[in-house]
Amino acid sequence: MRYIPQMLSHRSDRDDWSTRHSVLATARRTAALVNVLAEDLPDPAAVAEVLRDHGETGPLDLTADEVAAMRAAAAMLRPVFAAEHADEAAAALNHLLREHTGPLRLTSHAGTTPWHPHLDRDDDAPWDAWLLASSCMALTVLVWDRQQPPGRICASSACDAVFIARGSGPERRYCSRRCATRERVAAHRRARTAEGPGEGRRSPEVGAVPAENQR
């Protein structure tokens, strides 16, 4: 993973680093980057902001060409999120691992980080290679751990954002509460329209006092 070098001397610093760059944290960063890079012309500043939000430090002067290459890498990751079953996700990841990543290796970035696995070919690999390799690593571990697709594409007809599916509760279908609420409201309106004027309303019972006369 492409980290800005930072010496970690205390155990608490190392624990914090491991938390910020855990498998789940890396997978969530992948989803965030796939989403921001889905724009036709992603803003390098917006991509850098996502990287900072997910643990990168120091100057991130991304060029338009680097962002374009990252966008291509993000597009290759989208089929993993579109997979309906673990078999589909595994097939998509196996293709990426075979065609676009290097052999598994350990690195400490010359002693500036704890030892951790990499799938890119070099610590100074370009951003697109780093994105693809680090994402494949995290998503592969999630498939292995859960035996399920690691993520989803939002079920909202107005949204194509990806997200990491996680937890033992009901299966998530939407990337956010906002999308879920929007779809519930839209479904309710469609149902009301299908009922037609006056349908679905209770008729007053015989002898009931009209509401406008109740005080």
Side-chain angles (χ1 to χ4, degrees), residues 119-134:
L119 281 174
D120 48 10
R121 292 176 173 83
D122 188 88
D123 285 354
D124 295 321
W127 283 104
D128 57 311
W130 164 84
L131 170 59
L132 201 54
S134 62

Side-chain angles (χ1 to χ4, degrees), residues 23-140:
V23 168
L24 185 55
T26 301
R28 286 173 173 161
R29 182 188 64 200
T30 294
L33 286 169
V34 169
N35 290 334
V36 74
L37 290 162
E39 300 291 334
D40 289 337
L41 293 172
D43 181 3
V47 177
E49 182 177 357
V50 171
L51 288 169
R52 290 192 187 93
D53 287 344
H54 289 268
E56 294 295 334
T57 59
L60 293 170
D61 299 322
L62 298 173
T63 67
D65 287 344
E66 287 175 325
V67 170
M70 291 176 74
R71 185 173 186 271
M76 287 190 279
L77 290 164
R78 185 169 281 272
V80 182
F81 289 91
E84 292 292 332
H85 307 288
D87 290 355
E88 294 177 36
L93 284 165
N94 278 338
H95 171 75
L96 295 175
L97 291 166
R98 182 174 59 251
E99 301 295 333
H100 299 286
T101 67
L104 183 66
R105 63 190 178 86
L106 286 166
T107 181
S108 67
H109 296 274
T112 62
T113 71
W115 286 101
H116 57 281
H118 266 228
L119 281 174
D120 48 10
R121 292 176 173 83
D122 188 88
D123 285 354
D124 295 321
W127 283 104
D128 57 311
W130 164 84
L131 170 59
L132 201 54
S134 62
S135 298
C136 282
M137 173 73 75
L139 297 177
T140 294

